[in-house]
């Protein structure tokens, strides 16, 4: 395509099965560079706009709609380093998700630790929340939903998390990141408790591993599309 080619909103929209209003909305949101206007006020898009739209849509499966938009706004404003930082953050999160999945798998391969008496390595809600990266209120909500069942110190009333509860919290956190609802997670955690081993979880963890792989490949596709856009005059 000639780089001087002028494209209409419908030309960009048709390629992706979008509405022309969606294309205009993406431009107004900063996901596409500003378009020139004709004397009558009509938008004049170019192959650069088409490349920007392809990049934005390719970044969504990798980073989510909000972050994909932030990446494109940064790129369109000339803040390429900020766009690359956002992409780096996504890769770092993916790596952390892989490590967490591996940690859960290793934890489930170990025999279920006893709940009584409390083990020397017990922890409390604040330190555990910081370790997992959630708020204490989230752990309390998971407790109400039956995802984790810490006991209470009879003297202070504080929640006490043994290694078994820590395992349940890590498992719940991982499955939540995998997109599973609380009700399903509660069933999985209860099955693991009852079975005393990892076997009931293998299919679920396999699905999550597949999702990580798909996200990794989406990141490659998104980065390639963004690189193409950045190189388009």
């Amino acid at each position: 395509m000639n780089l001087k080619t002028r494209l209409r909103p419908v030309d960009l929209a048709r390629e992706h099965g979008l509405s022309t209003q969606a294309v205009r909305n993406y431009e107004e949101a900063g996901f596409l560079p500003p378009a020139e206007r004709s004397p009558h006020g009509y938008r004049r898009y170019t192959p650069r706009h088409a490349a920007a739209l392809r990049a934005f849509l390719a970044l969504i499966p990798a980073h989510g709609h909000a972050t994909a938009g932030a990446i494109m706004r940064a790129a369109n404003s000339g803040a390429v380093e900020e766009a690359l930082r956002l992409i780096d953050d996504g890769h770092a999160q993916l790596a952390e998700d892989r490590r967490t999945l591996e940690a859960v798998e290793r934890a489930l391969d170990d025999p279920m630790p006893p709940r009584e008496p409390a083990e020397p390595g017990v922890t409390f809600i604040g330190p555990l929340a910081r370790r997992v990266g959630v708020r204490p209120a989230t752990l309390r909500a998971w407790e109400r939903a039956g995802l984790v069942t810490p006991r209470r110190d009879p003297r202070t009333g504080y929640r006490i998390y043994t290694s078994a509860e820590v395992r349940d919290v890590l498992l719940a956190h991982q499955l939540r990141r995998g997109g599973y609802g609380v009700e399903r997670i509660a069933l999985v955690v209860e099955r693991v408790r009852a079975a005393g081993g990892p076997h009931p979880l293998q299919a679920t963890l396999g699905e999550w591993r597949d999702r990580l792989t798909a996200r990794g490949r989406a990141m490659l596709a998104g980065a390639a599309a963004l690189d193409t856009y950045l190189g388009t005059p």
Side-chain angles (χ1 to χ4, degrees), residues 71-179:
I71 292 169
M72 293 306 299
R73 281 194 294 269
N76 291 329
S77 67
V80 176
E81 287 298 320
E82 172 63 12
L84 296 179
R85 184 191 66 77
L86 290 168
I87 291 174
D88 289 345
D89 288 346
H91 282 283
Q93 184 62 68
L94 179 61
E96 180 61 27
D97 286 349
R98 291 189 189 281
R99 285 192 291 269
T100 303
L101 174 59
E102 291 165 0
V104 170
E105 289 175 330
R106 288 195 301 271
L108 290 173
D109 284 338
D110 293 334
M112 180 173 287
R115 291 179 179 267
E116 298 290 349
E119 299 174 337
V122 297
T123 189
F124 299 97
I125 192 168
L128 181 57
R130 288 192 294 273
R131 172 182 171 185
V132 178
V134 300
R135 296 179 301 162
T138 299
L139 295 184
R140 289 191 287 267
W142 289 356
E143 181 181 348
R144 290 192 295 271
L147 305 189
V148 61
T149 56
R151 63 181 179 82
R152 298 289 188 126
D153 185 293
R155 292 177 299 127
T156 64
Y158 293 157
R159 292 170 174 84
I160 296 176
Y161 296 83
T162 67
S163 57
E165 282 84 35
V166 171
R167 181 207 60 206
D168 291 347
V169 167
L170 287 172
L171 177 57
H173 181 57
Q174 177 69 0
L175 295 178
R176 282 295 286 163
R177 287 199 58 80

Side-chain angles (χ1 to χ4, degrees), residues 7-93:
L7 303 171
R8 302 166 298 169
V10 67
D11 296 321
L12 272 66
R14 188 178 292 128
E15 178 182 351
H16 306 284
L18 299 172
S19 68
T20 54
Q21 185 59 50
V23 174
R24 290 191 286 266
N25 290 345
Y26 290 160
E27 180 196 344
E28 291 172 2
F31 305 158
L32 309 183
E36 294 181 359
R37 298 292 187 114
S38 73
H40 295 93
Y42 294 113
R43 289 174 170 83
R44 291 174 170 173
Y45 291 125
T46 68
R48 178 169 171 77
H49 293 91
L53 181 58
R54 292 186 198 106
F56 171 62
L57 295 177
L59 288 165
I60 291 174
H63 300 277
H65 191 281
T67 301
I71 292 169
M72 293 306 299
R73 281 194 294 269
N76 291 329
S77 67
V80 176
E81 287 298 320
E82 172 63 12
L84 296 179
R85 184 191 66 77
L86 290 168
I87 291 174
D88 289 345
D89 288 346
H91 282 283
Q93 184 62 68

